[in-house]
Amino acid sequence: VIPWALVPASYVTEHVPQHYFPCKDEFLAITRLLIRTLGMPSALCVLSGTLAGAMTWEGVSIEAQYRAVMESAGVFEASGMTYLHIHGPDAEKVLNRLVPRDVSTLTPGSAMFVVFTTPFGTVDNEAIVLRISQDAFLLSCCGGKPLSFLHQARHLFPNVAVTLADTICFNIKGPKRVEAMQLLLHASDRRKVATLP
């Protein structure tokens, strides 16, 4: 396994070796769109065998990317993550069995960062957990890795379903990130984002 490496950008132009890089179709579609818009990337980042993103684009210099993040806003696509929908009357109990934080403190519409631990106390994975209703959660799990002990927790609470969520997240960073995000939202949601902590 290559922990972190750069590979030639030509890997995603026409024939992507999906047997080598376990990329989601959504990631490949987004990458190809970016290539058409911004030109070829100089190289691709590979994290633990998974395509994680592009280095520089022909149409956007590294200096421009740096200035965007430091002075304005930069967007980072994150389709390499694993997105899960956990729902059912005991969904909260399943999550609380796997993480040291108490997800019962989440109200619908709020989120928290959690670390998933093994029964031995070591770290298994990390995620952002968003409570979407009393009995349903969305998880954005790091690095596309499955949660090792989710199956055992579900065995204790069989009325909980876990499905892959039809979701792709992205990060917006920089001092003008809120203003940039407002441009992507329906007018009715702009005020909600402006008041997020």
Side-chain angles (χ1 to χ4, degrees):
V1 173
I2 305 170
W4 189 91
L6 297 177
V7 295
S10 58
Y11 277 73
V12 292
T13 52
E14 296 298 326
H15 306 287
V16 178
Q18 285 184 282
H19 61 279
Y20 186 69
F21 298 119
C23 306
K24 293 183 180 178
D25 291 339
E26 296 90 346
F27 180 90
L28 300 177
I30 290 167
T31 304
R32 289 185 175 123
L33 176 62
L34 287 168
I35 288 171
R36 286 198 302 273
T37 307
L38 301 173
M40 283 291 290
S42 60
L44 298 166
C45 296
V46 178
L47 184 63
S48 296
T50 301
L51 227 60
M55 287 297 289
T56 59
W57 303 92
E58 287 176 3
V60 185
S61 69
I62 193 72
E63 292 81 10
Q65 294 178 51
Y66 177 80
R67 279 197 314 275
V69 175
M70 296 305 291
E71 301 169 11
S72 183
V75 176
F76 303 85
E77 184 274 333
S79 68
M81 308 289 273
T82 296
Y83 301 101
L84 298 176
H85 183 212
I86 298 181
H87 51 100
D90 292 324
E92 183 181 283
K93 291 178 183 176
V94 166
L95 286 173
N96 275 338
R97 185 150 188 101
L98 297 171
V99 302
R101 297 188 75 184
D102 185 2
V103 299
S104 69
T105 61
L106 286 174
T107 57
S110 62
M112 71 167 53
F113 175 82
V114 298
V115 173
F116 289 88
T117 55
T118 70
F120 315 105
T122 57
V123 173
D124 178 51
N125 206 328
E126 61 185 41
I128 300 294
V129 176
L130 170 68
R131 186 170 215 151
I132 53 176
S133 70
Q134 187 60 36
D135 297 326
F137 299 84
L138 282 178
L139 277 65
S140 171
C141 303
C142 183
K145 180 181 175 290
L147 302 176
S148 302
F149 297 91
L150 179 58
H151 179 73
Q152 287 91 326
R154 279 196 61 227
H155 183 71
L156 297 171
F157 303 100
N159 59 358
V160 172
V162 179
T163 56
L164 288 174
D166 185 17
T167 303
I168 297 177
C169 291
F170 57 90
N171 300 328
I172 300 183
K173 299 183 184 291
K176 296 185 179 177
R177 61 192 177 277
V178 174
E179 295 94 318
M181 190 152 181
Q182 299 285 12
L183 300 174
L184 305 173
L185 297 171
H186 188 274
S188 62
D189 292 322
R190 290 179 188 147
R191 190 171 35 166
K192 296 176 190 175
V193 169
T195 60
L196 285 174

